[in-house]
Amino acid sequence: MVTVTNPAHRISLTRLRLGCHALRVQTGKYENKGASIPVEERTCLVCKENCVEHEQHFLMYCQGYATIRVELHSHIQKDSLYANLSDNERTKYLLRADNRVTSKIIGKFINFVFKKRKDSQLTNKMSIIILF
């Protein structure tokens, strides 16, 4: 992980790779007063498209991050190998640490989106508090 020199970006990438993050695929294991929510019910609260919020959804499909993802993919698709991969292979490619340029770009993307998620969750909680 030394290829990602920004500590915040490196931490975000590492957390996603290790499953130590706030995506519902993980938080659903304990957010129901300690009882696990079935995986198929751990849906994304960002896009509200009734999709399980797992790493691949987060990186490849969530419409809540579509705009920033376009920028991410515009940098990465310069790699001709990436363009020919399936979505499963692309997800693995993005999370590998063997390409210095890709690792830096994906680390920055993940860090930015994790911050965006956290800020939107705080905003949603604040609006609920204000309503009551």
Side-chain angles (χ1 to χ4, degrees), residues 26-82:
Q26 291 298 331
T27 63
K29 294 177 181 178
Y30 53 81
E31 70 184 12
N32 188 25
K33 296 183 182 178
S36 181
I37 295 172
V39 173
E40 62 277 2
E41 293 178 22
R42 300 177 197 175
T43 56
C44 182
L45 301 175
V46 176
C47 68
K48 313 247 191 289
E49 291 186 15
N50 206 28
C51 299
V52 174
E53 187 184 37
H54 49 61
E55 294 83 356
Q56 188 171 29
H57 172 78
F58 173 77
L59 289 172
M60 306 292 291
Y61 306 122
C62 184
Q63 291 305 304
Y65 312 123
T67 304
I68 187 70
R69 188 181 304 108
V70 168
E71 185 179 336
L72 165 74
H73 287 284
S74 72
H75 291 291
I76 294 176
Q77 287 189 339
K78 293 174 185 174
D79 182 342
S80 59
L81 172 66
Y82 182 80

Side-chain angles (χ1 to χ4, degrees), residues 74-126:
S74 72
H75 291 291
I76 294 176
Q77 287 189 339
K78 293 174 185 174
D79 182 342
S80 59
L81 172 66
Y82 182 80
N84 297 318
L85 299 174
S86 69
D87 283 351
N88 284 338
E89 292 168 327
R90 283 181 176 192
T91 302
K92 291 175 187 174
Y93 178 88
L94 292 173
L95 294 176
R96 286 193 334 230
D98 61 349
N99 183 317
R100 183 181 184 126
V101 174
T102 301
S103 293
K104 283 185 173 187
I105 293 168
I106 195 69
K108 184 176 181 179
F109 169 81
I110 293 167
N111 182 258
F112 177 81
V113 176
F114 276 174
K115 282 182 181 178
K116 183 176 177 178
R117 283 181 91 253
K118 188 174 183 177
D119 292 345
S120 70
Q121 289 171 344
L122 287 174
T123 303
N124 290 341
K125 286 181 182 178
M126 289 301 290

